[in-house]
Amino acid sequence: MSHSQKGKVAAGGKGAAKAKKAAGGKKSENDREDTLQAVILADSFETRFNPFTLETPRCLLPLANTPLIEYTLEFLAMAGVADIFIYCGAHTSAVQSYILSSKWHPSTSAASPFNTLEIVKTTARSVGDALRDLDSRDMITGDFLLVHGDLVSNLPIDEALRNHRERRVKDKNAIMTMILRAGGLGEHRTKAKGITPVFVVDPGKNRCVHYEEMHPLQAHKYVDLDEELLKDHKDIEVRTDLIDCGIDICTPDVLALWAESFDYEVPRRHFLHGVLKDYELNGKTIHTEIVDDRYAARVFNLQSYDSVSKDVLGRWTYPLVPDSNLVAGQSYKFERGSLYKENDVMLARTCKAGKKTVLGKGTSVGAGSVVSNSIIGRDCQIGKNVTIKDAYIWDNVLIGDGSHVERAIIANEAVIGKSCKIQPGALISYKVGLSDNTEIRPNQRITRAKRKRDDDSETEDEVPSDPSIVGSSGHGYEFRDAEEFSDDEEAAFHSSLIYSTQHLNLSNASISTLSSSLSSADEPSGPRSRLSSFTSLSDDGDNEGFHHDAVQGILDTLHEHGDFDSAKLEFMGLRLSNDATDHQIRRAIAVAFSKHISQLVDGEQKTEASKAAASAFATGGAVPFLKNVALSTGTEEDAVDFLRCLQKDAVNRGSGPLVLAAVCQRLYEEEVVGEEAFLRWWEEAEGMGEDEDVEMKRVRAKTGVFVEWLREAESESESGSGSDEEESEEESEDE
Amino acid sequence: MAFQAIILCGPGSSFPTFTANPDETPKALLPIANRPMVWYPLEFCYRMGVTNLDNTTGTAEIFRLPEVRDVVKGDFIILPCDLVCELGGDALLEAWMVTQASLGGSTPNQSRLGHPKMALNGEKAGRRGGMTVCYDTRGETVIKGEETDFIAMTPLKAGPVPPPKSSVLSQLSNLVMSMPTDTLKDLTGKGGKLSIRHSLLEAHSRVRMLGSHRDAHIYIFPAWVMDMINSNDHMDSIGEDVIGWWAKAGWQDGLGEKLGLAEVFNSSSSPASHDDNLLDNPSTQDESDFSTLSSTWTTSVPKPADVKPKLTIPPILTYQHPTPTPLIRRVDTAPLLLSVSLQLAKLEPTETGGTSPLTHPRKFAYPAGIASRTTVTRPDCLLAENVTVEERCSLKECVVGANCQIKAGAKLTRCVLMDGVVIGNGCKLTGCVVGKRAELGEDCTLVDCEVQENLLVEAGSEEKGAKLMSSSGMEATEEELEEELA
């Protein structure tokens, strides 16, 4: 990466100059309060705004027709910040040229409220890298504000700053103060959805003592508080109502802590959580300033883009509203019914530009069109009889007659043909063209961005348009997340404009058990219907990547007689990153076990099926792994599903019938699968009669003996079970 | 019919030194500031205006006893016998009524406003909730070994009008977890971690957890709680099980069903029959839902019968006592008895204008018994009837029971003497609790000791932090002593 080298040299030069200044400023350690420094993380190193952030940096995305960074800089100007460092990752040059041409840069604009403003280029791939880089540059001389380039806030920080400094004087270890906005007890559109931050606060000391995040995909549905913590803090509050606006008042010690831990990447889930957890070790305390009035929020994903836009139009962010005309050249006026309109807007006489709408300069709306709750940028041409509802349309967009846009984002210079239908959640990126009569499905993302070649070179390739999506004369293709970015919950919660958990396979939280006698019978069964295990067999096709990796991982463990405890971690990580369903997990495990055992049977050693199964199950932690991962819910449906997966896989194996019988027996003996599940699986298979696949029938034939035995054992008294077991073992070996 | 109060009197296993013989001295009769313990809850009920009392022993299981079931007819209050509560019970009762049992029909049916949990309109809109009280154990002095409870609560939705300052309403919260600290230790167990369910945090966005507070065991319960206790055999104690499960059922979906609350709520004891229990209102007033008469409300369409409505668990509220005064305290260990007695001794007596309901008419009931050349500090000492203090004594921060004899030259600091104690010449006692009719020989020096009743302490004994009890060999002499006294 050639440009990075250049960046470093340039920054080094600046850093040296800065160091001189810092040396001069050292003597005035006491009056460092006079100048406040701020660091803006203009790049979040996330992919939540894809496909838009493929072509523009996040901080330049327009929010109510004003780039996001304008709001952040306004906030910092109000806070009285003197020196600003803007950290950029991708698209640094775009940020640089924007800032240089704006009113903010002191060297190009006399009106700039800042003493210095420096744009730092970095090769960082995470916030952690950026802050470690900052630490090495030695530019920070005192307390500084750390904010993100997507902050929208009208908070005065004076009080928080004063409290922070008071604490700091009393205790050198009070290294950071987070400003958090209380979001009220009920629902709030600006509260984070999906991933909820959990702040554990000692209200007496305003100290944050624990932090973690919870989301519905977590298997561990608990927030764990340390016992010590409860002992040390007799009064604590566990708060999920706080809106984290990412304003941190930091001391230089914070950077030192970042520098110490190379694995910290994000400020909250890693840094905050880690520092609080290591309190015993480092003795550093992090404090909170919880505010109840004024506005503060981050535009950290598309859902918050939606909610913060609405807050801006609802004037919660005053004075940061369109009619304040933050950017030079804007001429918004606030009209009746919360209509913000710039000069030179042409509205046809029969169109309706309704409530809570923003219309930029040079935009025209054709006859009979209806625009409501939407933000439309400059120089857009909206045709006749167009309906635009709850949508965000940026600059220079053309929308053909009769089109319908609802709850979507359409980026600059996109061209929408006539009578198109754009459904909720759709994202249409820069310069995409849609032919007439195209329909864009909900949550579809369309882009024309060039794709980088895999070999890490700078050349980018034009991606051919996909006519099945954009129509015959359209331009653009459907955007899919690259494999490497789709890790953890990111994709599940952040990437869509509309928050929904419908596509996620969420299991119900368990409820307290009263006592052993009561719990078993009354446990509410999962949402799965009896039939779902049948239908799910057909959708094995998707997520093949997960299946392959997972099977390989388990096979390796089995081959090497490894330890399943460590394999489990890997497996769960894989599961999260691929958003795999329970069924996919069961299938992968079933395939791996069946494959391993049949390899032993068919291999050179010619191990007997039952012995091969026994050796597989004897691998360290295999039984708990099966119980906790494959059959984590413990319901009968899942066990039946698991058996069916085994059966299906056995079809492809030479010694399939034997392996299936042996595995079934082991599963029963290790109490992984109960006899009810076996019987049900068998009955369901028998019940299919003619419809049953011939192969499937053949494969399960050998297991019939075992099932017969189970039936007998059930009907008989328990006394004779010992001898029966031996019998059946012999029988299965015979086969 | 009015409220009923049930005072639970246990055998007092937490006072081993003083209740060795529970038949003679049950815990409930141990003196706190020269009054038997049970006087305090009785007086509390009297002040609250509840005159229907029951005195029993045991905990939740007693509510399964048929005699108790027969006695308790309506909403009821449970008090422990070791409660010292200066705060008026009327304030608590008022708060409960305002939140849980509004005067029939005077407020619009809130279920239409989106929060069905408040049982207004009698029990038309849902069952009434309950209320508990807790206080901070960290007062002016730290008492060693005082039990604490782990209490988690969430704020109530603020009403449109702030409650008046005098009302306790502003200190009410919704209880979501309650357990003794010992149970908490069991829970955290091996990992040393307390796991909080996500469902709690999803249901409540602000959960406050208090570790140093203590459940005062004052419970205001609606009548249906009786049925709940009876249908759940596993509930042993009120504080831990009844309250604990109820609080949890409020946020765990499905737990209410598991506890059989659906049946309890739909049981034959129909809500209407309870309504008149509450305030002696003519029941007609309760039955008419005034909000339906208003034209601004549209009557809701009745739900189809086959749709099982979601079970709404009535809220259990908790009043968190904010300040050390007025006093709320449970006295269930000797150090607490000492500290609370001394605290009560400092109250201004009624003869000089003291207004606390727990104060005594006079500081020194028998001034003539105090010799002239001796020091007894008036602001913090309390002397009962017929106490004689001989010359050259010094009593600071002491509570002395009736018929005690303090002989010449004794120096007592921060001590509680129960009735009929004899302190020998020149004894020095600091921070001691001395049981009934105990006798201390000359020149004893005791620091932070507990002396069992009827015990003879040999002259010249020196002890620190000990529990002086009769050894098994001395029991005979104790019995002899009793016979003598009898």
Side-chain angles (χ1 to χ4, degrees), chain B residues 105-249:
Chain B
S106 62
T107 17
N109 190 334
Q110 291 217 355
S111 57
R112 296 213 184 95
L113 295 174
H115 27 123
K117 56 178 191 168
M118 289 306 184
L120 300 172
N121 286 332
E123 291 205 319
K124 284 288 179 318
R127 292 293 184 150
R128 286 187 195 113
M131 194 165 116
T132 73
V133 176
C134 69
Y135 60 88
D136 196 347
T137 55
R138 293 174 300 184
E140 294 123 30
T141 48
V142 179
I143 296 130
K144 229 178 87 190
E146 184 171 8
E147 241 181 82
T148 52
D149 293 305
F150 180 75
I151 297 166
M153 51 178 93
T154 63
L156 293 174
K157 219 167 240 167
V161 183
K165 275 226 167 84
S166 60
S167 152
V168 299
L169 279 173
S170 56
Q171 296 296 328
L172 280 187
S173 335
N174 195 8
L175 190 72
V176 291
M177 248 201 260
S178 171
M179 60 183 114
T181 310
D182 295 338
T183 315
L184 178 71
K185 280 194 189 114
D186 294 346
L187 270 186
T188 55
K190 292 167 253 159
K193 300 236 187 240
L194 171 73
S195 299
I196 304 164
R197 280 165 189 274
H198 282 177
S199 49
L200 170 62
L201 301 179
E202 277 152 18
H204 298 285
S205 56
R206 274 180 84 165
V207 181
R208 190 155 174 216
M209 300 186 174
L210 301 172
S212 66
H213 278 58
R214 181 144 193 222
D215 186 354
H217 286 223
I218 303 175
Y219 302 122
I220 304 177
F221 281 158
W224 61 263
V225 173
M226 207 69 161
D227 299 327
M228 174 170 86
I229 295 171
N230 277 299
S231 60
N232 286 287
D233 284 334
H234 56 90
M235 290 186 176
D236 292 329
S237 85
I238 295 186
E240 208 175 332
D241 295 335
V242 179
I243 297 292
W245 285 113
W246 183 358
K248 271 190 186 174

